[in-house]
Amino acid sequence: MTSLVKWILILFGLISVIANIVIVCLYSGRLPKCSSKPHHVFKGRHNERSAMFADLSAEEYLQVRDYMSNQKDLNISVNAFTKPSGNFLFLIDLLLPMKADALGYLDNNKPKPVREATAVVFYGTLGYIKEYVVGPLPNPIYHRDVTVKRYKEELPINARTVTIGEYALIFKFINEEVFTKLGKIVKESFDVSKEKTLNGFEGMPRGVKSGERQTWISFFRDLSGMYIHPVGLEVLINHESTNASLWSVKRLLYNGQYFDSVEDLIKQYDAGTVTKIVYKPVQNYASLKPRSKPTGLSPQQFYAQGKRFSVKNNHVMYLEWSFAFGLSSLTGMRVFDIRFKGERIVYELSVQEAMSVYGSITPGMILTKFLDSSIGIGRFAHELVRGVDCPYAATYIDTFRYIDVSAPHRFRNSICIFEHNTGRPLRRHFSDFFSNSYGGMVNSALVFRTITAIGNYDYLWDFIFYQSGSVEAKVHATGYISSSFNVDGNLKYGHQVAENTIGNIHTHFINFKVDLDVLGVENVFQTKDMKFMNVSLPWMPEHYAMVPQLVEAQLKTEKEAALRYDTKTPRYLHIASNRTNRWGHQRSYRLQVVSFTGDSLPETEPEEKSMSWARYKVAITKHKDSEQTSSSLYSQNNMWTPAVDFSKYIEDDENIENQDLVAWVTTGFLHIPHAEDIPNTVTVGNGGGVILRPHNYFDEDPSIHSPDGVYISPGSEGNCENNKMACLTEDSCTPIIEPFTYNGFEGTMKFEE
């Protein structure tokens, strides 16, 4: 063997050794993949009976649609572009079962309630709206007109929501009767051409009295985030008639000056008696495209030992919690049959309404009062973005809806469920005096979330389940503010936030329905507060001190329990059982409202009846299946004679002692827009909610039994028995990452066939 061959073999052997060392080093430090199977052992099983609360499936929607369209005497169209003069099947939604029937089925093995749907038809040919109950599902064979039974009167056609078909005609009308005729003006003022247009945004309500359908439309630059690019043109159109050929332009506003007609504006513009708006291009300060390139990932969460919650169909189990869920096209997120340690705490927790009242000097916003359930809160729950809208590793759920469409739409990943560490302990204590120890527990909670993008605003809806037995319903607002063109006098109604742009002052009021069943349906409503009493000291009777004392009361009627925002209310509000805990106190759940609302609309205003629920921080009523919601689909467009006036739920002043009680909770915040709302309003500080907290319901804090508890005593710092954090390095693993997908643009509104 030559020396050259020897050196080649030695070199090859050396390279092999080095390569093996590198490979061993690389792979010895690699962590195993995290288990996708939960280590947690679930108590109990999923409740198949919760399916009665489940949203209609795509097949059920189609069955109802086809059944209704096949009823020749109804003469119904299912084409989403049906004109207002036609008869259009606008909405199909689940009809919730009667509560007594549902409880009988859940608890007493009574028959399963018949599954039925509500179908809403806009009869343009006849001038009214009808609601039908359709059933049974699957395979419906009957329908019943329940309009008068539900609302005590017929529903006029102009109470209807503006449909896709009507919007298409409005856009066509605006183009032909406004933009085409104002060609020179809109070109010089806004650079409008065949290739470049303006976008409209409506003010609501559509008029000042019942029967009217006259809408002020404000125009904005055709840019992303158009809502903060007003141009100074607003048009009032009369579209009361279901025959679009009878529509007309009533008034116009151009740069703060009113005109009686399109021709009037043209005449005065050409005569030089109008202060002209001179177009100039602007950078799109409303764009949400990042202005700095991403430099890295934000912190991410993952499940080292699998998820501690389970979702099957519409039922969720999480540690000691279980509940059923749904997503109404109109009112949005709702959960039912909430149980903790097997006991029902809440029968129904649901969003009811989101309302805003605006201030402005310009007509497009001066009367604006939005009632979002009339447009559809749940309707606009689009796909959630992994890692942004919800943690990347959350469980995502698809939903189906049928509202203003020709066929049911699937909205992928429109609900998310995740457990997360809130970043602060649920409880803790470090003992420094006499004995040394540390006891604490991470605040790990389950979040059930959807996000609805209703026009300019996005609402984040969270129902949060804590290991202490508390449930929180929370809302945060983000998205774009509504704005108006800066004309003389408008600074009384907001701040300037961009060139020629005023962010208009407005309120946000949110209404939740909280149907608590505390150890059954026979409950009472109690309040607790404090007062200072001048007390003689027992060991020194001649000396007095002001000492806080507990003040308790039990309210007996609905009017007593209607707690207004404009009056001082007790700080502790309870739905209580007559059963007591170990210490002799009535077992109860407290309603803790977190709210920063502005003032509600004065009751002297004719529109106030449509939002009368906003008068009350909390209102307690006796449960009735006929009082299912605090608002309705028809409130927005018939505010003056609303189909549902919540104040009437209280007027009969029924007894509420030892009754099945419902709490209607109103929260929200006042929004005075400012420069930092550009481009988007942030969620920080913009929200509210209600926390349902056990109050003497248990004998002790139930979280003391949680496996998440940590206890450290001197000498046991590294012991894993009572401190899982001490052995975290042994449980480390590499998360399993699902590929990023997004299909959120599939369900957006289209205004052309």
Side-chain angles (χ1 to χ4, degrees), residues 341-358:
K341 292 182 177 289
E343 288 186 330
R344 182 180 300 111
I345 306 295
V346 181
Y347 175 75
E348 178 186 352
L349 175 60
S350 58
V351 180
Q352 290 293 299
E353 185 62 280
M355 178 268 286
S356 294
V357 175
Y358 280 81

Side-chain angles (χ1 to χ4, degrees), residues 60-221:
E60 288 174 319
Y61 280 126
L62 287 171
Q63 288 175 3
V64 174
R65 182 201 68 176
D66 293 345
Y67 169 83
M68 292 295 288
S69 65
N70 288 334
Q71 306 309 303
K72 301 304 180 185
D73 58 316
L74 299 181
N75 189 27
I76 294 172
S77 169
V78 296
N79 183 344
F81 288 89
T82 299
K83 295 179 179 180
S85 56
N87 302 331
F88 176 49
L89 178 59
F90 175 73
L91 171 72
I92 302 171
D93 210 353
L94 172 71
L95 175 63
L96 290 172
M98 299 286 192
K99 183 176 180 180
D101 294 341
L103 292 180
Y105 178 60
L106 287 170
D107 300 339
N108 301 315
N109 290 318
K110 290 190 175 181
K112 180 180 179 181
V114 176
R115 188 163 169 85
E116 296 176 315
T118 290
V120 176
V121 180
F122 296 163
Y123 281 99
T125 60
L126 302 171
Y128 54 67
I129 300 167
K130 290 289 186 182
E131 291 197 0
Y132 298 96
V133 169
V134 183
L137 295 175
N139 305 315
I141 58 173
Y142 61 78
H143 64 281
R144 300 191 305 271
D145 179 359
V146 293
T147 313
V148 176
K149 180 181 178 182
R150 287 181 178 176
Y151 302 110
K152 308 296 187 291
E153 61 185 2
E154 295 287 357
L155 297 170
I157 191 63
N158 277 352
R160 75 189 185 279
T161 299
V162 174
T163 63
I164 294 290
E166 187 171 1
Y167 274 124
L169 291 176
I170 289 173
F171 298 153
K172 181 174 182 288
F173 176 84
I174 290 291
N175 186 57
E176 292 176 354
E177 299 299 323
V178 179
F179 288 166
T180 299
K181 292 181 179 180
L182 293 178
K184 173 186 173 183
I185 297 175
V186 295
K187 175 61 179 177
E188 293 179 355
S189 301
F190 317 122
D191 197 31
V192 170
S193 63
K194 289 183 178 180
E195 294 77 29
K196 192 174 182 181
T197 186
L198 299 176
N199 292 328
F201 188 64
E202 308 159 280
M204 300 179 203
R206 305 175 192 280
V208 295
K209 61 183 180 181
S210 290
E212 287 192 347
R213 201 171 182 82
Q214 300 188 20
T215 303
W216 275 103
I217 301 177
S218 305
F219 290 95
F220 297 78
R221 293 178 189 250

Side-chain angles (χ1 to χ4, degrees), residues 202-248:
E202 308 159 280
M204 300 179 203
R206 305 175 192 280
V208 295
K209 61 183 180 181
S210 290
E212 287 192 347
R213 201 171 182 82
Q214 300 188 20
T215 303
W216 275 103
I217 301 177
S218 305
F219 290 95
F220 297 78
R221 293 178 189 250
D222 184 22
L223 297 170
S224 65
M226 67 169 214
Y227 307 100
I228 50 177
H229 283 290
V231 298
L233 175 66
E234 301 183 15
V235 178
L236 175 63
I237 65 167
N238 182 341
H239 53 124
E240 287 177 14
S241 175
T242 55
N243 182 351
S245 66
L246 300 178
W247 294 356
S248 61

Side-chain angles (χ1 to χ4, degrees), residues 557-694:
T557 68
E558 290 177 325
K559 285 187 177 179
E560 286 182 17
L563 307 180
R564 288 175 172 264
Y565 259 112
D566 56 3
T567 60
K568 183 179 180 181
T569 59
R571 295 172 179 87
Y572 276 58
L573 310 173
H574 301 263
I575 302 293
S577 165
N578 286 314
R579 292 164 61 180
T580 59
N581 70 357
R582 178 182 176 185
W583 316 113
H585 299 293
Q586 283 178 263
R587 298 175 67 182
S588 73
Y589 258 74
R590 177 188 174 193
L591 299 158
Q592 184 172 340
V593 182
V594 181
S595 183
F596 311 94
T597 57
D599 297 335
S600 59
L601 190 68
E603 292 175 41
T604 54
E605 288 295 286
E607 297 89 356
E608 193 275 341
K609 289 186 291 185
S610 66
M611 56 188 76
S612 56
W613 50 267
R615 303 172 190 172
Y616 311 102
K617 184 175 187 179
V618 173
I620 306 296
T621 64
K622 179 181 176 181
H623 176 273
K624 294 179 183 177
D625 288 305
S626 59
E627 296 177 353
Q628 181 63 40
T629 59
S630 61
S631 190
S632 84
L633 171 62
Y634 317 106
S635 295
Q636 179 72 80
N637 293 304
N638 194 15
M639 286 186 154
W640 312 274
T641 314
V644 173
D645 178 354
F646 176 79
S647 65
K648 292 182 179 179
Y649 293 3
I650 298 167
E651 281 181 3
D652 55 8
D653 199 26
E654 291 192 82
N655 180 278
I656 57 170
E657 290 189 297
N658 301 312
Q659 300 291 339
D660 187 359
L661 303 183
V662 178
W664 307 85
V665 179
T666 300
T667 183
F669 62 98
L670 171 66
H671 193 176
I672 302 175
H674 44 90
E676 292 80 9
D677 283 310
I678 305 299
N680 250 189
T681 292
V682 298
T683 56
V684 177
N686 291 320
V690 58
I691 308 170
L692 313 180
R693 298 177 59 186

Side-chain angles (χ1 to χ4, degrees), residues 252 258-269 273-274:
L252 297 92
Y258 286 93
F259 301 90
D260 292 329
S261 64
V262 170
E263 291 72 23
D264 183 27
L265 171 55
I266 295 170
K267 180 180 178 181
Q268 294 196 47
Y269 186 92
T273 58
V274 174

Side-chain angles (χ1 to χ4, degrees), residues 2-36:
T2 65
S3 58
L4 179 60
V5 174
K6 287 181 180 180
W7 281 111
I8 291 173
L9 290 173
I10 292 170
L11 183 61
F12 180 77
L14 184 61
I15 292 171
S16 299
V17 170
I18 293 172
N20 278 294
I21 291 173
V22 170
I23 291 170
V24 169
C25 290
L26 285 173
Y27 282 88
S28 63
R30 179 167 291 181
L31 295 174
K33 290 285 186 182
C34 295
S35 173
S36 59

Side-chain angles (χ1 to χ4, degrees), residues 363-529:
M365 204 166 289
I366 194 170
L367 293 176
T368 286
K369 301 163 185 71
F370 289 127
L371 290 168
D372 289 343
S373 76
S374 294
I375 305 167
I377 297 174
R379 171 185 186 174
F380 295 103
H382 293 280
E383 182 167 8
L384 301 165
V385 175
R386 279 186 187 272
V388 183
D389 295 331
C390 307
Y392 200 97
T395 294
Y396 293 85
I397 298 168
D398 296 351
T399 59
F400 290 87
R401 270 157 261 154
Y402 191 109
I403 179 169
D404 203 9
V405 290
S406 301
H409 278 192
R410 176 187 181 188
F411 292 81
R412 302 172 191 266
N413 303 332
S414 47
I415 292 174
C416 72
I417 305 177
F418 57 93
E419 183 181 8
H420 82 131
N421 181 340
T422 64
R424 62 181 183 276
L426 180 65
R427 53 175 173 78
R428 59 98 69 192
H429 178 65
F430 180 84
S431 183
D432 193 22
F433 298 112
F434 307 117
S435 64
N436 300 134
S437 65
Y438 169 86
M441 179 179 159
V442 63
N443 190 5
S444 188
L446 187 78
V447 179
F448 179 79
R449 172 179 293 169
T450 192
I451 302 177
T452 56
I454 309 167
N456 55 308
Y457 262 110
D458 297 49
Y459 287 108
L460 281 73
W461 307 97
D462 286 344
F463 293 158
I464 308 173
F465 300 84
Y466 296 97
Q467 294 188 57
S468 59
S470 296
V471 183
E472 183 173 12
K474 183 186 291 187
V475 60
H476 287 94
T478 179
Y480 290 100
I481 59 172
S482 286
S483 68
S484 58
F485 197 70
N486 188 10
V487 298
D488 288 344
N490 221 1
L491 284 173
K492 293 179 181 178
Y493 303 96
H495 293 142
Q496 184 167 349
V497 293
E499 187 171 357
N500 292 323
T501 302
I502 298 295
N504 294 86
I505 186 172
H506 58 281
T507 61
H508 289 272
F509 282 83
I510 309 295
N511 191 239
F512 291 100
K513 181 181 182 181
V514 185
D515 186 353
L516 278 156
D517 286 353
V518 181
L519 300 171
V521 295
E522 293 186 4
N523 293 154
V524 294
F525 181 57
Q526 298 176 334
T527 66
K528 298 180 184 181
D529 213 321

